[in-house]
Amino acid sequence: MEKPRQGFWGLWNISFGFFGIQIGFALQNANMSRVFQSLGAEIDNLPALWIAAPLTGLLVQPIIGHLSDRTWLGRLGRRRPYFLTGAILAALSLFFMPLAPALLAAAVMLWVLDASLNISMEPFRAFVGDMLRKDQHSAGYAVQTAFIGAGAVAGSIFPWALEHLGVSNDAPLGSIPDTVTYAFWFGGGALFLAVLWTVLTTREFSPQQLAAFEGARAEAADDAVHALAARGPLASIVWIAAGAIVALAVGWFDLEKEVYLLGALLAAYGIASLIAARLARAGRGTNMLASIVGDFAGMPALMKRLAVVQFFSWSALFIMWINTTPVVAGAFYGAPDAADPGYQEGANWVGVLFTVYNGVAAIAALTLLPLLASRFGKVRTHIIGLLCGAAGFASFFVIRDPHWLIASEIGIGIAWASILAMPYAILASNLPQAKLGIFMGLFNVFVVVPQLLVATVMGSIMKAFFPGQPIWTMAFAAGTLCIAAVAMMRVNES
């Protein structure tokens, strides 16, 4: 038995909600450093303030993936309850974010916003796999990527467009410009309406239908939990020891205090795996902790290799989101201080640049990537995309006129389109349907872990080797994309 083939409007409705979600992410990515600096944050403290976003994703995505695999709320379905809940919370967060009275309040709101966006976003990845036949997976993720790009264009361009419509872009230190405030409010409304469209226009397959579609591939037993029960404590002890070593290194090498978080996470996973193994041995394999840890330890080989690629790809992206505003304002507008009018001008230009790379991604997802994939395959297409992004980041060192940075963003946009489409298209065709949510959630751990690493370690690196020169973060971004391209050579898409 096979799933019915989706037409144009079916593909549209399945992914349209991601248009709204990406508006939220774009507003966050392009403006949070600006919000923090406007409220008095120093540039060296930006990575620490951004920790909330990846840490939230690390905790939320596997949990939501696990729960959405096991949810069925009648007519509302399997994934859609999470779309709707996350959208409501994210819209409220976007409304209250620009009203934050102080830096700490803004950091807390970022935590709430990112958690809400992740609640909506994570099931969307599995939703494409749920609703589409295997021969439509590439098309489905390409359409989703196009909506991601279009949503990011809308979110990124909001402040710039509002300024040109006469809304004030000036703000004394300690306050947020009206352009950003209104952009967050409009974005929250757009996010909710777009997700509501997908919720109202799609009907999910029931668990019985999905089992019939899966056929012989349906899992009779949870082999991952059985393997976890049989595992000794050595691996868990190694994780705990690694966390202790990282914590000690903070004092030995005078690293930034945020690195303590990295050590704590390593040790926490070691402790969680010990508890999960004990639960599995006691016959409690259906426990959420045992299931998540068991599936993480038992990831398919293909997924592990793609995880390495994701790790380095998203390291570069998070470097870009944190640092592009201070890089452009300081290196191209001569305004490193947020109180300088030139800083706000540079920050608005970053919104335009982010619009360009997202617009390029939307177009490339529907045109360039399918053409390359049909000729060279998904793996080689992704390698080409990653190298285009590396060239875009490297070009920051040879360009002098900020307007020419648009050329840099074209390469970054091609990489962004490929990162959002190719790995997921490869995975969706090779994962069991019953565990698509949890495996997509675990795969996204390798999206957020590098962000945590950047947030905790990058500040120490820049302070030690490139103080007051944030443009060197672009060199790190180019280098990590090159490493990702090399790692992709180990992936066999068949």
Side-chain angles (χ1 to χ4, degrees):
M1 186 176 179
E2 194 159 14
K3 297 173 187 175
R5 190 173 186 85
Q6 296 285 348
F8 171 80
W9 285 110
L11 294 173
W12 176 286
N13 293 336
I14 286 168
S15 290
F16 185 71
F18 228 128
F19 172 74
I21 293 170
Q22 200 59 35
I23 288 176
F25 273 118
L27 287 167
Q28 171 184 294
N29 294 338
N31 294 286
M32 284 313 302
S33 288
R34 178 182 191 176
V35 169
F36 289 148
Q37 287 190 287
S38 295
L39 293 175
E42 298 293 334
I43 188 171
D44 290 340
N45 293 328
L46 288 180
L49 292 167
W50 272 86
I51 282 176
L55 181 60
T56 303
L58 181 65
L59 298 173
V60 168
Q61 292 198 27
I63 293 172
I64 295 300
H66 171 86
L67 293 175
S68 69
D69 280 341
R70 290 160 172 77
T71 295
W72 185 256
L73 296 181
R75 295 183 64 182
L76 199 54
R78 185 186 194 194
R79 316 288 183 189
R80 290 179 298 164
Y82 299 94
F83 301 165
L84 190 59
T85 300
I88 293 170
L89 294 174
L92 291 173
S93 300
L94 285 168
F95 179 81
F96 288 110
M97 174 70 77
L99 302 178
L103 186 59
L104 179 60
V108 171
M109 287 308 304
L110 173 60
W111 194 298
V112 176
L113 173 61
D114 205 80
S116 305
L117 292 172
N118 275 286
I119 290 170
S120 270
M121 181 197 75
E122 198 288 327
F124 260 102
R125 293 295 191 190
F127 192 53
V128 173
D130 289 344
M131 301 297 291
L132 299 181
R133 301 153 47 122
K134 288 185 181 180
D135 60 359
Q136 286 195 293
H137 283 165
S138 293
Y141 285 107
V143 170
Q144 190 175 89
T145 299
F147 276 127
I148 290 171
V153 167
S156 298
I157 203 69
F158 261 137
W160 180 87
L162 288 170
E163 181 188 13
H164 283 74
L165 290 173
V167 178
S168 173
N169 191 49
D170 297 324
L173 190 63
S175 63
I176 298 169
D178 288 346
T179 51
V180 175
T181 298
Y182 295 150
F184 274 56
W185 291 351
F186 288 135
L191 184 156
F192 175 74
L193 291 174
V195 172
L196 187 63
W197 177 281
T198 289
V199 170
L200 295 177
T201 60
T202 57
R203 183 178 294 274
E204 297 184 67
F205 298 117
S206 70
Q208 295 76 21
Q209 288 175 304
L210 289 173
F213 294 143
E214 189 76 349
R217 290 187 61 197
E219 295 189 353
D222 197 335
D223 295 334
V225 172
H226 294 162
L228 179 65
R231 194 173 69 179
L234 180 60
S236 300
I237 294 172
V238 170
W239 282 102
I240 295 170
I245 291 170
V246 170
L248 291 172
V250 175
W252 291 340
F253 300 105
D254 194 27
L255 303 178
E256 295 294 312
K257 296 299 183 285
E258 294 82 21
V259 182
Y260 278 124
L261 177 61
L262 181 62
L265 288 171
L266 294 172
Y269 177 74
I271 295 169
S273 62
L274 281 174
I275 297 171
R278 184 172 181 178
L279 290 169
R281 284 192 291 272
R284 298 172 62 186
T286 56
N287 176 275
M288 182 167 64
L289 179 63
S291 295
I292 292 174
V293 173
D295 288 329
F296 184 79
M299 286 188 298
L302 174 71
M303 185 172 165
K304 291 178 181 177
R305 293 182 178 184
L306 279 171
V308 176
V309 178
Q310 288 290 87
F311 178 89
F312 288 105
S313 301
W314 283 84
S315 295
L317 294 170
F318 201 60
I319 289 171
M320 174 182 71
W321 291 328
I322 292 178
N323 294 289
T324 301
T325 294
V327 166
V328 172
F332 292 89
Y333 285 83
D337 190 337
D340 191 320
Y343 176 91
Q344 300 298 342
E345 183 181 357
N348 269 9
W349 184 242
V350 170
V352 176
L353 295 177
F354 280 20
T355 300
V356 170
Y357 92 74
N358 283 295
V360 168
I363 296 170
L366 297 178
T367 56
L368 179 62
L369 293 187
L371 178 65
L372 292 176
S374 64
R375 183 167 183 177
F376 301 112
K378 299 183 186 72
V379 169
R380 291 179 181 174
T381 296
H382 196 37
I383 291 171
I384 293 169
L386 292 170
L387 293 177
C388 286
F393 285 120
S395 67
F396 271 68
F397 289 88
V398 297
I399 291 173
R400 296 292 177 265
D401 184 341
H403 293 90
W404 279 101
L405 291 174
I406 288 175
S408 307
E409 300 302 321
I410 292 173
I412 294 169
I414 294 171
W416 179 229
S418 189
I419 290 167
L420 291 174
M422 292 297 108
Y424 295 98
I426 294 170
L427 270 184
S429 298
N430 290 278
L431 294 176
Q433 189 75 57
K435 288 191 170 185
L436 201 53
I438 181 59
F439 275 134
M440 287 295 185
L442 291 172
F443 189 60
N444 283 333
V445 166
F446 298 95
V447 169
V448 297
V449 166
Q451 297 177 41
L452 277 173
L453 191 63
V454 169
T456 55
V457 174
M458 184 57 69
S460 295
I461 294 174
M462 294 303 296
K463 185 176 180 180
F465 298 104
F466 308 104
Q469 301 179 69
I471 193 170
W472 283 100
T473 58
M474 298 296 105
F476 283 96
T480 56
L481 283 186
C482 288
I483 295 172
V486 172
M488 194 65 193
M489 294 178 183
R490 300 181 61 246
V491 175
N492 184 344
E493 65 184 276
S494 61

